[in-house]
């Protein structure tokens, strides 16, 4: 079979992503498009609560490892199995999609877990909340409202389930060694809802605006707002490669760590964390240091080194982390409406690495650190 195909499995349309190197192991992802963005005021927290209820079976049934996650645009469930447990896994998915586990007993059983997670979120995510304070996104957090979590019952959740877990919002991704799966070809499902989601604009700022930068006890944290673009697979992968080259250059120069947070289908925050903030004194000193260090010659040298490192990485055999690959597939499907296979992505990266120029990296750097558009709060 091709690397990725739409197949009929257990009479359900599934995206089968074949990675034979997985040797008898599979991950099955059940993706429900919708997420917290679609919740009304009285429903805030229902999507996340429902995720916990749906996985309540796992408290007793230990045959399959499973976990769930609720985001702004989707909920996913991941089942980690061996090939011989595939039929059992699909039966559990059928039970989830019929609402079997939405009972008064299960709702009350998981309520304390959801409340505990709510409290932990507001303690552990202070920095995230600080960055997003006053934005539309903060009003649609998946964690929801505590009063809804405390008061909802199984009837409320079942009504919500019937509306949100409809066929057109469901995708099943099977990734790994699919050689033993009983499947047949089917017509590719059209993702008509892609592009019709409720889009939010987190901030009316251009890529490169520093949302806030602060000197914390554990160093300097700078958050950049970035608008994502998607035209086609090649442009999408090229943007990723340019980012990775630029970010690895910045990490090397400043001994920093760079992470990303997707906040909508088109928007993300890039966070630069520098633990030894005292080395630079303040934010402006750090930025001035970067401006002095980064020029086209430095970038060209870094691109050459990056190409060599990538070639060595490929020559050793890359291997695939199934969970990371499944999470990437889920994001690609939700945000872009299609999935790029691992081998296909590697092929595009190899092509683009020898086309990307120092000018493109330099332009991305100056877009990110545009002196005219950023402001700093310390």
């Amino acid at each position: 079979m091709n690397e990725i195909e739409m197949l009929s499995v257990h009479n359900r349309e599934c995206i089968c992503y074949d990675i034979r190197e997985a040797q008898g192991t599979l991950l099955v992802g059940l993706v429900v498009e919708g997420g917290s963005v679609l919740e009304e005021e009285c429903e805030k927290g229902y999507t996340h609560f429902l995720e916990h209820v749906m996985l309540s079976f796992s408290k007793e049934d230990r045959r399959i490892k499973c976990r769930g996650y609720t985001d702004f645009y989707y909920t996913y469930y991941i089942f980690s199995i061996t090939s011989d447990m595939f039929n059992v896994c699909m039966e559990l998915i059928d039970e989830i999609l019929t609402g079997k586990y939405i009972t008064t007993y299960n709702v009350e059983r998981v309520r304390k877990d959801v409340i505990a997670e709510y409290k932990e979120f507001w303690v552990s995510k202070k920095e995230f909340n600080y960055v997003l304070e006053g934005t539309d996104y903060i009003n649609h957090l998946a964690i929801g409202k505590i009063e809804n979590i405390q008061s909802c019952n199984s009837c409320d959740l079942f009504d919500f389930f019937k509306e949100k877990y409809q066929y057109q919002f469901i995708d099943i991704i099977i990734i790994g060694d699919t050689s033993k799966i009983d499947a047949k070809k089917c017509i590719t499902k059209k993702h008509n809802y892609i592009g019709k989601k409720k889009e939010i604009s987190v901030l009316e700022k251009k890529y490169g605006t520093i949302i806030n930068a602060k000197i914390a006890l554990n160093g300097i944290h700078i958050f950049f707002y970035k608008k994502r673009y998607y035209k086609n697979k090649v442009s999408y992968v090229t943007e990723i490669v340019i980012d990775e080259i630029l970010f690895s250059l910045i990490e090397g120069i400043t001994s920093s760590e760079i992470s990303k947070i997707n906040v909508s289908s088109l928007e993300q925050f890039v966070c630069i964390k520098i633990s030894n903030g005292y080395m630079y004194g303040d934010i402006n000193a750090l930025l001035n240091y970067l401006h002095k260090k980064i020029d086209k010659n430095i970038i060209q040298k870094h691109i050459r080194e990056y190409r060599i490192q990538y070639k060595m990485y490929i020559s050793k055999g890359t291997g695939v982390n199934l969970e990371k690959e499944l999470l990437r597939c889920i994001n690609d499907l939700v945000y872009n409406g299609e999935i790029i296979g691992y081998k296909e992505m590697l092929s595009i990266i190899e092509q683009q690495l020898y086309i990307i120029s120092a000018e493109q990296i330099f332009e991305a750097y100056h877009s990110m650190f545009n002196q005219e558009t950023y402001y700093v709060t310390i």
Side-chain angles (χ1 to χ4, degrees), residues 293-332:
K293 291 290 289 184
I294 294 182
D295 59 30
K296 289 185 180 179
N297 290 330
I298 291 292
I299 292 173
Q300 188 63 61
K301 180 183 176 183
H302 185 72
I303 291 174
R304 287 197 297 268
E305 292 172 351
Y306 194 94
R307 287 169 179 162
I308 292 170
Q309 291 172 359
Y310 185 81
K311 192 173 182 179
M312 288 176 59
Y313 166 72
I314 294 296
S315 67
K316 292 177 181 178
T318 58
V320 182
N321 182 311
L322 286 185
E323 180 149 344
K324 287 184 179 179
E325 191 65 8
L326 178 57
L327 293 178
R328 184 181 68 79
C329 288
I330 291 171
N331 277 277
D332 285 350

Side-chain angles (χ1 to χ4, degrees), residues 258-292:
I258 297 181
S259 58
K260 301 176 186 177
I261 303 170
N262 288 332
V263 293
S264 81
S265 64
L266 295 176
E267 297 165 303
Q268 67 181 195
F269 284 114
V270 177
C271 178
I272 299 179
K273 298 181 181 179
I274 303 174
S275 56
N276 296 325
Y278 63 86
M279 291 176 60
Y280 303 99
D282 61 30
I283 305 291
N284 289 319
L286 167 63
L287 296 177
N288 289 333
Y289 176 76
L290 274 172
H291 287 316
K292 288 178 182 177

